[in-house]
Amino acid sequence: MLKAAIIGTGNISPEHIKGYLRFPERVEIVALCDIYPEKAEKKKRDFGLTNAKVYPSHKELIADIGAQLDIVDVCTPPFTHAEISIDFLNAGVNVICEKPVAMSLAELDKMIDTAKANHKLFTVH
């Protein structure tokens, strides 16, 4: 069973959550993260994610359960994608990132290089 975290619980996150929920035998959403924790708590309730823990920052999530995660799905505003993706890749977690993936080609190159250096998957949704 893959353990997934959703980073950013705004407008696009319900579509991502629904996608994971279609495969309950293969993946479990174990964490939701948003700088507005009340938004994450609402998604947790709305989708019945009773086992998911809510975090107010991706760094706190990494420090707490980062090593246990298989996938993070970055659904935050585009200007945050590079930092968050790189932090999780460096923590040894595979990353799925919402588009637009980065604010520049240099950021994207760094994301790709970090994935390669850590032997992790990095993909864009």
Side-chain angles (χ1 to χ4, degrees), residues 65-80:
I65 64 166
Q68 300 168 29
L69 295 172
D70 298 296
I71 306 165
V72 295
D73 194 337
V74 181
C75 299
T76 57
F79 69 90
T80 66

Side-chain angles (χ1 to χ4, degrees), residues 5-8 32-35 55-66 69 72 74 76 80-89 91:
I6 307 291
I7 313 302
L32 299 169
C33 177
D34 201 289
I35 60 171
Y55 294 88
S57 84
H58 78 279
K59 292 182 187 278
E60 286 182 42
L61 192 160
I62 290 170
D64 189 32
I65 64 166
L69 295 172
V72 295
V74 181
T76 57
T80 66
H81 289 176
E83 176 189 355
I84 293 169
S85 296
I86 289 167
D87 286 350
F88 276 104
L89 291 164

Side-chain angles (χ1 to χ4, degrees), residues 2-122:
L2 296 173
K3 294 183 181 184
I6 307 291
I7 313 302
T9 56
N11 292 336
I12 196 63
S13 68
E15 298 310 312
H16 291 246
I17 293 168
K18 288 176 198 174
Y20 291 110
L21 292 177
R22 289 183 60 203
F23 302 96
E25 70 287 349
R26 297 183 70 192
V27 64
E28 177 185 14
I29 298 171
V30 297
L32 299 169
C33 177
D34 201 289
I35 60 171
Y36 302 105
E38 63 277 6
K39 286 172 48 180
E41 290 288 354
K42 182 172 183 339
K43 294 296 186 304
K44 179 178 174 176
R45 284 189 309 276
D46 290 351
F47 288 96
L49 302 173
T50 55
N51 294 330
K53 188 170 178 185
V54 170
Y55 294 88
S57 84
H58 78 279
K59 292 182 187 278
E60 286 182 42
L61 192 160
I62 290 170
D64 189 32
I65 64 166
Q68 300 168 29
L69 295 172
D70 298 296
I71 306 165
V72 295
D73 194 337
V74 181
C75 299
T76 57
F79 69 90
T80 66
H81 289 176
E83 176 189 355
I84 293 169
S85 296
I86 289 167
D87 286 350
F88 276 104
L89 291 164
N90 280 328
V93 183
N94 299 301
V95 173
I96 299 170
C97 189
E98 180 63 36
K99 58 186 177 297
V101 67
M103 299 303 291
S104 69
L105 287 176
E107 276 188 353
L108 179 56
D109 286 342
K110 188 170 182 184
M111 295 159 91
I112 292 168
D113 291 344
T114 304
K116 287 179 181 177
N118 288 291
H119 307 287
K120 291 296 156 188
L121 300 175
F122 174 72

